Amino acid sequence: AVLATALALLGSAVWWLVHRPLFTLREVKLEGPDHGTLQHVSPSTVRGTALPRIKGNFFTANLEEVRVAFESVPWVRRAAVRREWPNKLVVVIDEHKPLGTWGEDGKLISVEGDIFTANLAEAEEEGDLPEFNGPAGSEREVVARYRDLAQWLAPVQLTPEAVELSSRYAWTVKLGNGVTVELGREQNRETLKNRVERLVRIYPQLVARLQDRIESVDMRYPTGLALKASGLTLAP
């Protein structure tokens, strides 16, 4: 009985101490990885979305719930939360780095291949973003192919502006000069690379003959290609 009474008194004392005003949360500090600054996550957005979901004080706040609250904020890819004595929480935020747009519903895709929702105008502050599309679950594959295409097309100073993987898993790329290239399905790991390299070899000749009239090129043929160009006439 004496032990039980002592434990009850001790518990009451701890409860009283834990709930002192000293430990009421006074500050939530935001920072990027390695104490860096944040580019897109703003204090005003955090105040409106994450802070109202934080319950408790320095001791009783559930850090997992706080993490989830912050990861619901636009631009936040990942959050890590720690306590800082005596009344502060520090939230380290890893922001999404936008690579392009995804689909037709205004979503963005990050350099890691994650789909997220944020202000498109803010994402395009440094210029228009390339466009991506594909079946659900193909996001990382599409991003990887975009990087491959950028590398393969570099010898002729062409850049991919849009990359699409169809529901039949056929690839289409739109170049920065407006030309659409049909690359078809991947039969093996070298299929797309071989077709793009074939296009790169012949592209200077096509430009020399047709200049900027090329509208689309179909590279799905085993050894050749088909193209569509404006202003072509048949010789009599």
Side-chain angles (χ1 to χ4, degrees):
V2 172
L3 179 60
T5 301
L7 290 175
L9 292 173
L10 178 61
S12 297
V14 170
W15 187 94
W16 178 86
L17 179 63
V18 164
H19 289 83
R20 290 302 85 203
L22 171 66
F23 303 117
T24 299
L25 290 175
R26 304 292 184 188
E27 181 182 355
V28 177
K29 181 181 179 182
L30 306 180
E31 60 183 42
D34 300 321
H35 305 284
T37 58
L38 297 173
Q39 182 177 357
H40 297 290
V41 177
S42 66
S44 60
T45 303
V46 169
R47 281 195 294 270
T49 56
L51 293 188
R53 298 170 59 181
I54 298 177
K55 309 298 181 184
N57 63 14
F58 178 81
F59 288 107
T60 62
N62 186 312
L63 297 190
E64 177 64 14
E65 292 180 358
V66 176
R67 180 190 66 79
V68 171
F70 274 89
E71 289 184 352
S72 69
V73 175
W75 289 105
V76 176
R77 177 174 181 249
R78 185 183 298 117
V81 186
R82 70 175 187 270
R83 308 179 206 269
E84 190 168 293
W85 183 266
N87 50 24
K88 180 192 295 186
L89 295 181
V90 178
V91 184
V92 180
I93 291 175
D94 181 13
E95 292 181 301
H96 285 293
K97 299 176 179 62
L99 176 64
T101 62
W102 181 267
E104 299 179 355
D105 55 1
K107 291 186 177 180
L108 296 166
I109 187 167
S110 72
V111 294
E112 293 87 4
D114 299 322
I115 302 297
F116 67 103
T117 301
N119 188 304
L120 178 60
E122 188 176 355
E124 292 186 322
E125 287 179 347
E126 299 180 1
D128 293 340
L129 296 174
E131 301 172 4
F132 301 94
N133 203 358
S138 68
E139 295 87 359
R140 295 180 187 275
E141 182 181 4
V142 173
V143 167
R145 278 292 171 264
Y146 167 77
R147 295 194 175 106
D148 290 337
L149 289 164
Q151 179 182 349
W152 298 336
L153 292 164
V156 285
Q157 289 76 53
L158 293 175
T159 56
E161 183 180 85
V163 178
E164 180 177 0
L165 180 61
S166 73
S167 58
R168 299 184 62 188
Y169 287 84
W171 292 92
T172 301
V173 56
K174 182 179 179 181
L175 305 178
N177 59 6
V179 176
T180 299
V181 181
E182 298 288 349
L183 293 172
R185 301 176 68 177
E186 292 188 73
Q187 300 168 359
N188 55 58
R189 294 184 62 181
E190 299 297 318
T191 301
L192 293 190
K193 184 179 181 181
N194 292 340
R195 290 174 179 173
V196 173
E197 287 179 344
R198 182 152 40 91
L199 173 63
V200 167
R201 286 195 299 269
I202 199 173
Y203 192 79
Q205 301 175 47
L206 296 177
V207 173
R209 290 175 178 269
L210 301 170
Q211 298 181 2
D212 59 354
R213 292 181 291 169
I214 304 172
E215 297 179 3
S216 63
V217 181
D218 190 339
M219 299 302 303
R220 293 174 291 182
Y221 297 88
T223 57
L225 60 86
L227 65 82
K228 178 181 178 182
S230 61
L232 293 182
T233 58
L234 294 175

